[in-house]
Amino acid sequence: MSLVIPSIEALVPYEGGKPVEELERELGITGAVKLASNENPLGPSPRALEAARATLAQIHRYPDGVAFGLREAIARFHGVRRDEVLQGAGSNELLDLVVRTFATREHHVVFGEPAFVVYRLASLVYGVPFTAVPLENLVHDLPAMAAAVTPKTRVVFVANPNNPTGTYVGRAAVEQFLRAVPPEVIVVMDEAYFEYADAPDYPSSLALRHLRDRLLVMRTFSKAYGLAGLRVGYTIGPAPLIDYMNRVRAPFNTSVPGQAAAVAALDDQAHVEESRRMNSAERVRLTQALEGMGLAVAPSQANFILVDLARPARPVYDGLLERGVIVRPFGNLPTSLRVTCGLPRENDRFLAALAEVLV
Ligand SMILES: Cc1ncc(COP(=O)(O)O)c(C=O)c1O
């Protein structure tokens, strides 16, 4: 008999983007570029870096378990109460925590397909039945997701913008969805790429909290704030939900340098703005260049693009690796690759390598 439940037995470990060091070691090269994990190519805010550095003499101490200063700064930034904010080791931990806190094997979860893989992973780990609702034209089909809710459904996850497609759902559709899902269900709006979205009708779910009580909005310091390596994210929601998740989370889930860097990063909106500006310009440039090569690119509001090569993507991925460019393949999108918008020269390198591989 297996030591674990069948859905854990069937799991394969999460595979992130290939590390630069690993590729360089394998190929005996230097100067590889990684466009695989949707990181900020400009790096962290210098102020965040300095704040993290200033804590290093204190890292023999446990962090503030309740992350008081960080939650206070987030609450002030968004104009919410501190008891409506919960910190996490990346938003990843908080997504997992939602399932762990609110759903059991007797319940049910809904998410899109393809969407961020952690929704499925968490459901499998805790043995919670789920419905993965296919995207329509690479966009979340919110009416179909609302229709997939059953009396057993506890949580519905929506990534907006979505990963790996980069696509978004507009304000009218989100408003309708938030009203349509029964009030007892927890809707999670995962806005990891919020800062990069610039479509006029892209909605901040924080501005839609009046539409339903059970709404959790997820944000992260890993993307536009450039702190992926420190693992800090947060969720904002009604105090009773935050209270339950706070009881379940690991005791010291965000680190001493992580908390300090995140507070300083929040205070450096100029860095976020610069990151956003560069990303918007490079997203357009990459999209146009790829379309110029006859490839289909999903319209992205994030810091990456999904390009359909109309041929098996794996050999193209391998060809790019051989040229020192790391992007991201997906098993469930066999002809597509996800490419993070990097620095202009990194994107040039990717485009040149792709042109070589595709001949
Ligand atoms: C949609 C989405 N949500 C959440 C995350 C988790 O990010 P983190 O745990 O670094 O905050 C990611 C990371 O890629 C993502 O794409």
Side-chain angles (χ1 to χ4, degrees):
M1 201 178 90
S2 175
L3 268 177
V4 295
I5 60 174
S7 56
I8 292 183
E9 187 70 55
L11 278 183
V12 288
Y14 178 85
E15 201 185 331
K18 195 178 184 71
V20 165
E21 299 73 21
E22 188 179 307
L23 181 67
E24 292 184 344
R25 204 166 48 239
E26 284 173 9
L27 295 185
I29 59 168
T30 55
V33 300
K34 184 182 177 201
L35 302 173
S37 298
N38 305 340
E39 296 145 341
N40 185 337
L42 288 178
S45 150
R47 279 156 60 182
L49 205 56
E50 187 44 45
R53 225 182 252 128
T55 67
L56 293 182
Q58 289 302 314
I59 58 171
H60 58 302
R61 304 283 184 204
Y62 282 100
D64 173 3
V66 300
F68 184 93
L70 173 59
R71 285 170 46 242
E72 179 70 21
I74 292 166
R76 213 174 320 116
F77 184 74
H78 288 297
V80 301
R81 295 202 321 263
R82 200 176 53 248
D83 64 1
E84 297 176 303
V85 180
L86 187 65
Q87 79 287 358
S91 49
N92 203 323
E93 183 199 20
L94 295 165
L95 294 166
D96 183 270
L97 192 57
V98 172
V99 180
R100 194 147 63 103
T101 304
F102 298 111
T104 71
R105 293 182 205 189
E106 312 304 318
H107 296 124
H108 175 249
V109 164
V110 175
F111 48 79
E113 172 65 33
F116 188 44
V117 66
V118 165
Y119 317 144
R120 176 187 295 266
L121 205 55
S123 304
L124 289 169
V125 166
Y126 304 117
V128 182
F130 58 81
T131 301
V133 178
L135 269 56
E136 194 177 47
N137 294 326
L138 296 180
V139 179
H140 267 108
D141 184 347
L142 294 187
M145 291 179 77
V149 168
T150 75
K152 294 192 168 191
T153 306
R154 277 298 182 91
V155 187
V156 182
F157 290 100
V158 180
N160 198 31
N162 187 34
N163 175 12
T165 58
T167 53
Y168 79 107
V169 271
R171 173 179 292 266
V174 172
E175 284 185 4
Q176 209 168 12
F177 174 75
L178 294 178
R179 288 197 179 97
V181 174
E184 62 274 16
V185 176
I186 298 168
V187 173
V188 176
M189 294 300 297
D190 179 356
E191 297 181 343
Y193 302 97
F194 170 84
E195 294 82 3
Y196 292 116
D198 55 11
D201 68 332
Y202 172 76
S204 163
S205 298
L206 286 179
L208 303 178
R209 292 181 67 205
H210 59 284
L211 293 181
R212 63 179 298 113
D213 180 50
R214 292 195 175 167
L215 171 63
L216 289 169
V217 181
M218 301 275 169
R219 298 280 179 92
T220 183
F221 286 95
S222 298
K223 308 298 177 183
Y225 287 93
L227 297 177
L230 283 178
R231 313 302 304 125
V232 190
Y234 59 97
T235 186
I236 293 176
L241 296 193
I242 296 294
D243 176 46
Y244 283 126
M245 290 170 72
N246 188 45
R247 297 181 203 188
V248 177
R249 71 172 169 84
F252 299 103
N253 62 340
T254 53
S255 68
V256 171
Q259 290 181 22
V263 171
L266 206 53
D267 205 33
D268 189 358
Q269 288 299 312
H271 185 75
V272 176
E273 193 46 46
E274 187 187 352
S275 307
R276 186 213 308 271
R277 217 176 311 118
M278 188 188 76
N279 184 72
S280 293
E282 288 302 296
R283 192 169 63 197
V284 169
R285 196 170 72 86
L286 269 175
T287 301
Q288 288 175 348
L290 292 166
E291 286 176 347
M293 295 164 80
L295 304 173
V297 180
S300 173
Q301 283 289 294
N303 66 341
F304 58 87
I305 50 161
L306 186 73
V307 55
D308 189 343
L309 307 163
R311 65 167 90 177
R314 199 76 204 192
V316 179
Y317 169 74
D318 290 336
L320 291 171
L321 281 185
E322 285 163 21
R323 288 161 180 79
V325 178
I326 310 169
V327 297
R328 189 79 146 73
F330 287 88
N332 53 356
L333 293 165
T335 62
S336 296
L337 291 173
R338 193 192 69 192
V339 185
T340 304
C341 305
L343 298 170
R345 66 177 151 76
E346 295 175 323
N347 298 333
D348 287 342
R349 170 105 177 259
F350 158 69
L351 289 169
L354 184 67
E356 274 182 36
V357 174
L358 289 184
V359 290

Coordinates of all heavy atoms in Angstrom, one line a residue, residues 14 16-21 32-44 163 192-193 196 220-231 271 275-276 278-279 282 286 302-305 326-328 338-343 346-347:
Y14 N 7.4 20.0 -9.1 CA 7.3 21.2 -9.8 C 8.6 21.5 -10.5 O 9.7 21.5 -9.9 CB 7.0 22.4 -8.9 CG 6.9 23.7 -9.5 CD1 5.7 24.1 -10.2 CD2 8.0 24.6 -9.6 CE1 5.6 25.4 -10.8 CE2 7.9 25.8 -10.2 CZ 6.7 26.2 -10.8 OH 6.6 27.5 -11.4
G16 N 10.7 24.4 -12.3 CA 10.8 25.8 -12.6 C 11.7 26.0 -13.8 O 12.1 25.0 -14.5
G17 N 11.9 27.2 -14.2 CA 12.9 27.5 -15.3 C 14.3 27.0 -14.9 O 14.7 26.9 -13.8
K18 N 15.0 26.5 -16.0 CA 16.3 26.0 -15.8 C 17.2 27.1 -15.3 O 17.3 28.2 -15.9 CB 16.8 25.5 -17.1 CG 18.0 24.5 -17.1 CD 18.3 24.1 -18.5 CE 19.4 23.1 -18.6 NZ 19.0 21.8 -18.1
P19 N 18.0 26.8 -14.2 CA 18.9 27.9 -13.7 C 20.0 28.1 -14.7 O 20.5 27.2 -15.4 CB 19.5 27.3 -12.4 CG 18.6 26.2 -12.0 CD 18.0 25.7 -13.3
V20 N 20.4 29.4 -14.8 CA 21.5 29.8 -15.7 C 22.8 29.0 -15.4 O 23.4 28.5 -16.3 CB 21.8 31.3 -15.5 CG1 23.2 31.7 -16.1 CG2 20.7 32.2 -16.2
E21 N 23.1 28.8 -14.1 CA 24.4 28.2 -13.8 C 24.4 26.7 -14.3 O 25.4 26.2 -14.7 CB 24.6 28.1 -12.2 CG 24.7 29.5 -11.6 CD 23.3 30.2 -11.5 OE1 22.3 29.6 -11.6 OE2 23.3 31.5 -11.3
A32 N 24.8 33.0 -20.5 CA 23.5 32.6 -20.9 C 22.4 33.5 -20.3 O 22.7 34.2 -19.3 CB 23.2 31.2 -20.3
V33 N 21.3 33.6 -21.0 CA 20.2 34.5 -20.5 C 19.0 33.7 -20.2 O 18.7 32.7 -20.9 CB 19.8 35.6 -21.5 CG1 21.0 36.5 -21.9 CG2 19.2 35.0 -22.8
K34 N 18.4 34.0 -19.1 CA 17.3 33.3 -18.6 C 16.0 34.1 -18.8 O 15.9 35.2 -18.2 CB 17.4 32.9 -17.1 CG 16.3 32.1 -16.6 CD 16.5 31.8 -15.1 CE 15.3 31.0 -14.5 NZ 15.2 31.2 -13.1
L35 N 15.1 33.7 -19.6 CA 13.8 34.3 -19.9 C 12.7 33.3 -19.6 O 11.8 33.1 -20.4 CB 13.8 34.8 -21.3 CG 14.9 35.8 -21.8 CD1 14.8 36.1 -23.2 CD2 14.8 37.1 -21.0
A36 N 12.9 32.6 -18.4 CA 12.1 31.5 -18.2 C 11.2 31.6 -16.9 O 10.3 30.8 -16.7 CB 12.9 30.2 -18.0
S37 N 11.4 32.5 -16.0 CA 10.7 32.5 -14.8 C 10.0 33.8 -14.4 O 9.6 34.1 -13.3 CB 11.7 32.1 -13.6 OG 12.2 30.8 -13.9
N38 N 9.8 34.7 -15.4 CA 9.1 35.9 -15.3 C 9.6 36.8 -14.1 O 8.9 37.4 -13.4 CB 7.6 35.6 -15.1 CG 7.0 34.8 -16.2 OD1 7.6 34.7 -17.3 ND2 5.9 34.1 -16.0
E39 N 11.0 36.8 -14.0 CA 11.6 37.7 -13.0 C 11.8 39.1 -13.6 O 11.7 39.3 -14.8 CB 13.0 37.1 -12.7 CG 12.9 35.7 -12.0 CD 14.0 34.7 -12.4 OE1 14.7 34.9 -13.4 OE2 14.1 33.8 -11.6
N40 N 12.1 40.0 -12.8 CA 12.3 41.4 -13.2 C 13.8 41.6 -13.7 O 14.7 41.5 -12.9 CB 12.1 42.4 -12.0 CG 12.1 43.8 -12.5 OD1 12.8 44.2 -13.5 ND2 11.5 44.7 -11.7
P41 N 14.0 41.8 -15.0 CA 15.4 41.8 -15.5 C 16.1 43.1 -15.0 O 17.4 43.1 -15.1 CB 15.2 41.9 -17.0 CG 13.8 42.5 -17.2 CD 13.0 42.0 -16.0
L42 N 15.4 44.1 -14.4 CA 16.1 45.2 -13.9 C 16.7 44.9 -12.5 O 17.4 45.7 -11.9 CB 15.2 46.4 -13.8 CG 14.9 47.1 -15.2 CD1 13.9 48.3 -15.0 CD2 16.1 47.6 -15.9
G43 N 16.2 43.8 -11.9 CA 16.7 43.5 -10.6 C 15.9 44.2 -9.5 O 14.9 44.8 -9.8
P44 N 16.3 44.1 -8.3 CA 15.5 44.7 -7.2 C 15.8 46.2 -7.1 O 16.8 46.7 -7.7 CB 16.0 44.1 -5.9 CG 17.4 43.6 -6.3 CD 17.4 43.4 -7.8
N163 N -1.1 33.2 -16.2 CA 0.2 32.5 -16.5 C -0.2 31.1 -16.9 O -0.9 30.4 -16.1 CB 1.1 32.6 -15.3 CG 2.4 31.8 -15.5 OD1 2.7 31.4 -16.6 ND2 3.1 31.6 -14.4
A192 N -0.5 38.4 -9.6 CA 0.9 38.4 -9.5 C 1.5 39.4 -10.5 O 2.6 39.9 -10.2 CB 1.5 37.0 -9.7
Y193 N 0.9 39.6 -11.6 CA 1.4 40.4 -12.7 C 0.7 41.8 -12.8 O 0.8 42.5 -13.8 CB 1.4 39.7 -14.0 CG 2.1 38.4 -14.0 CD1 1.4 37.2 -13.7 CD2 3.5 38.4 -14.0 CE1 2.1 36.0 -13.6 CE2 4.2 37.2 -13.9 CZ 3.5 36.0 -13.7 OH 4.2 34.8 -13.6
Y196 N 2.1 45.1 -14.2 CA 2.5 45.1 -15.6 C 1.3 45.3 -16.6 O 1.5 45.6 -17.7 CB 3.2 43.8 -16.0 CG 4.5 43.6 -15.4 CD1 4.7 42.5 -14.5 CD2 5.6 44.4 -15.7 CE1 6.0 42.3 -14.0 CE2 6.8 44.2 -15.1 CZ 7.0 43.2 -14.2 OH 8.2 43.0 -13.7
T220 N 2.3 39.9 -5.2 CA 3.6 39.4 -4.9 C 4.7 40.4 -5.1 O 4.6 41.4 -5.9 CB 3.9 38.2 -5.8 OG1 5.2 37.6 -5.4 CG2 4.0 38.5 -7.3
F221 N 5.8 40.3 -4.3 CA 7.0 41.1 -4.5 C 8.0 40.4 -5.5 O 9.1 40.9 -5.7 CB 7.7 41.3 -3.2 CG 7.0 42.3 -2.3 CD1 6.1 41.9 -1.4 CD2 7.1 43.7 -2.5 CE1 5.3 42.8 -0.6 CE2 6.4 44.6 -1.7 CZ 5.5 44.1 -0.7
S222 N 7.6 39.3 -6.1 CA 8.5 38.5 -6.9 C 8.6 39.0 -8.3 O 9.6 38.7 -9.0 CB 8.0 37.0 -7.0 OG 8.0 36.4 -5.8
K223 N 7.7 39.8 -8.8 CA 7.6 40.1 -10.2 C 8.1 41.6 -10.4 O 9.3 41.8 -10.4 CB 6.2 39.9 -10.8 CG 5.7 38.5 -10.5 CD 6.6 37.4 -11.2 CE 6.0 36.0 -10.8 NZ 6.9 35.0 -11.4
A224 N 7.2 42.6 -10.5 CA 7.6 43.9 -10.7 C 8.5 44.5 -9.6 O 9.4 45.4 -9.9 CB 6.4 44.8 -10.9
Y225 N 8.4 44.0 -8.4 CA 9.2 44.5 -7.3 C 10.6 43.8 -7.3 O 11.5 44.2 -6.5 CB 8.5 44.3 -6.0 CG 7.4 45.2 -5.7 CD1 6.1 44.9 -6.1 CD2 7.6 46.5 -5.2 CE1 5.0 45.8 -5.9 CE2 6.6 47.4 -5.0 CZ 5.3 47.0 -5.4 OH 4.2 47.9 -5.2
G226 N 10.8 42.8 -8.1 CA 12.1 42.2 -8.3 C 12.7 41.5 -7.1 O 13.9 41.5 -6.9
L227 N 11.9 40.9 -6.3 CA 12.4 40.2 -5.1 C 12.1 38.7 -5.1 O 11.9 38.1 -4.0 CB 11.8 40.8 -3.8 CG 12.1 42.3 -3.6 CD1 11.4 42.8 -2.3 CD2 13.6 42.5 -3.5
A228 N 12.0 38.1 -6.2 CA 11.6 36.6 -6.3 C 12.4 35.8 -5.4 O 11.9 34.8 -4.7 CB 11.7 36.1 -7.7
G229 N 13.7 36.1 -5.3 CA 14.6 35.2 -4.5 C 14.4 35.3 -3.0 O 14.8 34.5 -2.2
L230 N 13.7 36.4 -2.5 CA 13.4 36.5 -1.1 C 12.1 35.9 -0.6 O 11.9 35.8 0.6 CB 13.5 38.0 -0.7 CG 14.9 38.6 -0.6 CD1 14.9 40.1 -0.2 CD2 15.7 37.9 0.5
R231 N 11.2 35.6 -1.6 CA 10.0 34.9 -1.3 C 9.1 35.7 -0.4 O 8.9 35.4 0.8 CB 10.2 33.5 -0.7 CG 11.3 32.7 -1.4 CD 11.0 32.4 -2.9 NE 9.7 31.8 -3.1 CZ 8.7 32.3 -3.9 NH1 9.0 33.5 -4.5 NH2 7.6 31.7 -4.0
H271 N 10.9 52.7 -9.0 CA 11.6 51.5 -9.5 C 10.5 50.6 -10.2 O 10.7 50.0 -11.3 CB 12.3 50.7 -8.4 CG 13.0 49.5 -9.0 ND1 14.2 49.6 -9.6 CD2 12.7 48.2 -8.9 CE1 14.6 48.4 -10.0 NE2 13.7 47.5 -9.6
S275 N 10.3 49.6 -14.2 CA 10.2 48.2 -14.6 C 9.0 48.1 -15.5 O 9.0 47.4 -16.5 CB 10.0 47.3 -13.4 OG 11.0 47.5 -12.5
R276 N 7.9 48.7 -15.1 CA 6.7 48.7 -15.9 C 6.9 49.3 -17.3 O 6.5 48.7 -18.3 CB 5.5 49.4 -15.2 CG 4.2 49.3 -15.9 CD 3.3 50.5 -15.7 NE 3.2 51.0 -14.3 CZ 2.3 50.6 -13.5 NH1 1.4 49.7 -13.8 NH2 2.3 51.1 -12.3
M278 N 9.7 49.7 -19.0 CA 10.5 48.9 -19.9 C 9.8 47.7 -20.4 O 9.9 47.3 -21.6 CB 11.8 48.5 -19.2 CG 12.8 47.9 -20.1 SD 14.2 47.1 -19.3 CE 13.5 45.7 -18.6
N279 N 9.1 47.1 -19.5 CA 8.3 45.8 -19.9 C 7.3 46.1 -21.0 O 7.2 45.3 -21.9 CB 7.7 45.3 -18.6 CG 7.0 43.9 -18.9 OD1 7.6 42.9 -19.1 ND2 5.7 43.9 -19.0
E282 N 9.1 46.5 -24.3 CA 9.7 45.3 -24.8 C 8.7 44.3 -25.1 O 8.9 43.5 -26.0 CB 10.7 44.7 -23.7 CG 12.0 45.5 -23.6 CD 12.7 45.6 -24.9 OE1 13.2 44.6 -25.4 OE2 12.9 46.7 -25.5
L286 N 8.8 42.6 -28.7 CA 8.9 41.2 -28.9 C 7.7 40.6 -29.7 O 7.9 39.8 -30.6 CB 8.9 40.5 -27.5 CG 10.3 40.2 -26.8 CD1 10.0 39.7 -25.4 CD2 11.1 39.2 -27.6
A302 N 1.2 40.8 -19.2 CA 2.2 40.4 -18.1 C 3.6 40.8 -18.5 O 3.8 41.6 -19.4 CB 2.0 39.0 -17.8
N303 N 4.6 40.1 -17.8 CA 6.0 40.4 -18.2 C 6.5 39.2 -19.0 O 7.7 38.9 -18.9 CB 6.8 40.7 -17.0 CG 6.9 39.5 -16.0 OD1 6.1 38.6 -16.1 ND2 7.9 39.6 -15.2
F304 N 5.7 38.6 -19.7 CA 6.1 37.5 -20.6 C 5.1 37.3 -21.7 O 4.0 38.0 -21.7 CB 6.1 36.1 -19.8 CG 4.8 35.8 -19.2 CD1 3.8 35.1 -19.9 CD2 4.5 36.2 -17.9 CE1 2.6 34.8 -19.3 CE2 3.2 35.9 -17.3 CZ 2.3 35.2 -18.1
I305 N 5.5 36.6 -22.7 CA 4.6 36.3 -23.8 C 4.6 34.8 -24.1 O 5.5 34.1 -23.9 CB 5.0 37.1 -25.1 CG1 6.4 36.9 -25.4 CG2 4.7 38.6 -25.0 CD1 6.8 37.2 -26.8
I326 N 17.4 30.5 -22.2 CA 16.5 29.6 -21.5 C 15.1 30.3 -21.5 O 14.9 31.4 -21.0 CB 16.9 29.5 -20.0 CG1 18.4 29.1 -19.9 CG2 16.1 28.4 -19.3 CD1 19.0 29.2 -18.5
V327 N 14.1 29.5 -22.1 CA 12.7 29.9 -22.1 C 12.0 28.8 -21.4 O 12.6 28.0 -20.7 CB 12.2 30.3 -23.5 CG1 12.9 31.5 -24.1 CG2 12.3 29.1 -24.4
R328 N 10.6 28.8 -21.5 CA 9.9 27.8 -20.8 C 8.9 27.1 -21.7 O 8.0 27.7 -22.2 CB 9.1 28.6 -19.7 CG 8.4 27.8 -18.7 CD 9.4 27.3 -17.6 NE 8.8 27.2 -16.3 CZ 7.9 26.2 -16.0 NH1 7.6 25.3 -16.9 NH2 7.4 26.2 -14.8
R338 N 6.8 29.9 -23.5 CA 6.6 31.2 -22.8 C 8.0 31.8 -22.6 O 9.0 31.2 -22.2 CB 6.0 30.8 -21.4 CG 5.5 32.1 -20.7 CD 5.2 31.8 -19.2 NE 6.4 31.6 -18.5 CZ 6.5 31.1 -17.3 NH1 5.4 30.8 -16.6 NH2 7.6 30.9 -16.7
V339 N 8.0 33.1 -23.0 CA 9.3 33.9 -22.9 C 9.1 35.1 -22.1 O 8.2 35.9 -22.3 CB 9.6 34.3 -24.4 CG1 11.0 35.0 -24.4 CG2 9.6 33.1 -25.3
T340 N 9.9 35.2 -21.0 CA 9.9 36.4 -20.2 C 10.5 37.6 -21.0 O 11.5 37.5 -21.7 CB 10.7 36.2 -18.9 OG1 10.2 35.0 -18.3 CG2 10.6 37.4 -18.0
C341 N 9.8 38.8 -20.8 CA 10.4 40.0 -21.5 C 11.6 40.4 -20.6 O 11.5 40.7 -19.5 CB 9.4 41.1 -21.4 SG 7.8 40.7 -22.2
G342 N 12.8 40.3 -21.3 CA 14.0 40.6 -20.5 C 14.5 42.1 -20.9 O 13.7 42.9 -21.3
L343 N 15.8 42.3 -20.6 CA 16.4 43.6 -21.1 C 16.4 43.6 -22.6 O 16.4 42.5 -23.2 CB 17.8 43.7 -20.5 CG 18.0 43.6 -19.0 CD1 19.5 43.5 -18.7 CD2 17.4 44.9 -18.4
E346 N 18.8 41.2 -24.0 CA 18.5 39.8 -23.8 C 17.4 39.4 -24.8 O 17.4 38.3 -25.4 CB 17.9 39.6 -22.4 CG 19.0 39.8 -21.3 CD 18.5 39.7 -19.9 OE1 17.3 40.2 -19.7 OE2 19.2 39.2 -19.1
N347 N 16.4 40.3 -25.1 CA 15.4 40.0 -26.0 C 15.9 39.9 -27.4 O 15.5 39.0 -28.2 CB 14.3 41.0 -25.9 CG 13.6 41.0 -24.6 OD1 13.6 40.0 -23.9 ND2 13.1 42.2 -24.2

